[in-house]
Amino acid sequence: MGGRGGWWRGKSTPAKVETYTRWSFHTFPFIEVATFALPAFGYVPAPVNWILFLLVSTHAAVAAVTASLTLDWTRGRRPLPVRLLWALGTATVVIAVVSLVVALHGPRGADNGAAAGTVFVGVLSFGIGTLALAVRGTRRMVYGVLGAAVGAGAVAVPAGVSAPGAAVAAGAVVLAAGFFTFTSAFSVWLLNAVYELDEARETRARLAVAEERLRFGRDLHDVMGRNLAVVALKSELAVQLARRGRPEAVEQMVEVQRIARETQREVREVVRGYREADLRTELAGAQGVLTAAGIDCEVSGPVTGLPAEIQSALGWVVREATTNVLRHGDAARCAVSLRVAKGRVTLTVENDGAPGIGSGSGTDTAEPGRGSGLAGLRERLREVDGVLRAGPAGSDLFRLTAEVPLPPDSVPEQAPAPEPGGSPRPVPHPVSEVTS
């Protein structure tokens, strides 16, 4: 899906939060210029108004570049821009002092002093707030805000501002700089928290895979370890008997053959149990995993009464669809419905993460081999004469549908009869019933 909306929906949740954070800081320069520089044209006579406008615009541009590079540093993508931070700090102090001098000793206008004083407070506040991006620790940020307030008062008094006026200026710096510092600190904290949560989710998925591999390894060890030890012992005994010309060697080799066949059968059972997927368990697991990932998941439809091979095939469909929603999409809602009608069972999985899941997945008309996950599902469904369809269903939906015919002798639990002029409605199936 092209266009700006597709570009945004194609991003992961951490990338969206980072983009939003960056563009929020990119809007700060425009706010600074519009709030503190443009009003000078109405209250300060020329050419002082142009001087204030150019100074504030320069400060806003330096702050924007500093914020962008410092955000890269917080994500570990580049070194801390120390020189640029010093340049921003120096520019903040110089421009604030110049605006204060203009307010006190510049040409008189309608509200010359008030406009230049506003520039003084605004430049200090935006500068301290931007510099806070490079500070680690709440205490240091508080010290920075208080230091800027004390410095503002200390500069204002010698410049000719009265003591009450200097106190007011210091208080304004505390409030404004404190607000922008809090905004910077919270933005960095939120961005790091989102990335850490995303990494934790990936780690949890990897741990689940590793745990399943360990379980499978333990099962194979339990099945083959003892039998292979018996085979080795009996083979050694048969060798010794054969060297002595004893007829019992044949009996020992027959026993070895029997144990080997028994081991082969047990290994097949282990692998078969590993590959089979229980539909009820998969539905409950999908709802739990998606809910834990912050995706609203609704499961509905009858589960009992379906043949084991059909439940296994549909269970794999649910597992693969859940994996795709977590891995490829950025969905906020997912609906899984199961419907039985006219001798066929239909499993439908819909989510609103269409761009991510649709890319590279293919539909029924896709080329062979495109999208190994869906290709594997089609092979499983083909074993039970089922079909799989997957693709976008509207502007922001992705739908995966699996249809499997029921054997003539199977009598599963039937769905409610359709309403007049409508399609059969799925039976609500809460997770408590699915997992029972």
Side-chain angles (χ1 to χ4, degrees), residues 4-18:
R4 187 176 303 172
W7 165 80
W8 175 256
R9 285 194 293 268
K11 288 178 172 292
S12 63
T13 299
K16 286 181 178 180
V17 175
E18 181 176 354

Side-chain angles (χ1 to χ4, degrees), residues 1-10 352-356 358-359 392-397:
M1 185 181 298
R4 187 176 303 172
W7 165 80
W8 175 256
R9 285 194 293 268
D352 56 359
S359 59
S395 59
D396 59 349
L397 283 179

Side-chain angles (χ1 to χ4, degrees), residues 223-234:
V223 170
M224 299 190 66
R226 177 183 60 85
N227 291 351
L228 288 177
V230 174
V231 167
L233 291 175
K234 287 188 172 294

Side-chain angles (χ1 to χ4, degrees), residues 75-149:
R75 298 305 312 147
R77 296 169 185 163
R78 68 169 65 244
L80 182 66
V82 178
R83 293 183 179 178
L84 193 58
L85 290 168
W86 277 105
L88 176 62
T90 304
T92 300
V93 173
V94 171
I95 295 174
V97 172
V98 169
S99 64
L100 186 62
V101 172
V102 169
L104 297 175
H105 307 290
R108 297 291 92 188
D111 278 326
N112 183 30
T118 303
V119 172
F120 173 74
V121 174
V123 167
L124 279 177
S125 302
F126 274 95
I128 296 300
T130 304
L131 292 173
L133 291 172
V135 178
R136 290 292 177 267
T138 305
R139 183 175 299 179
R140 294 182 178 181
M141 294 182 184
V142 173
Y143 289 161
V145 173
L146 295 179

Side-chain angles (χ1 to χ4, degrees), residues 120-191:
F120 173 74
V121 174
V123 167
L124 279 177
S125 302
F126 274 95
I128 296 300
T130 304
L131 292 173
L133 291 172
V135 178
R136 290 292 177 267
T138 305
R139 183 175 299 179
R140 294 182 178 181
M141 294 182 184
V142 173
Y143 289 161
V145 173
L146 295 179
V150 172
V155 171
V157 172
V161 179
S162 63
V168 171
V173 171
V174 168
L175 294 177
F179 171 77
F180 287 114
T181 299
F182 171 79
T183 301
S184 299
F186 179 77
S187 299
V188 173
W189 173 84
L190 179 63
L191 183 61

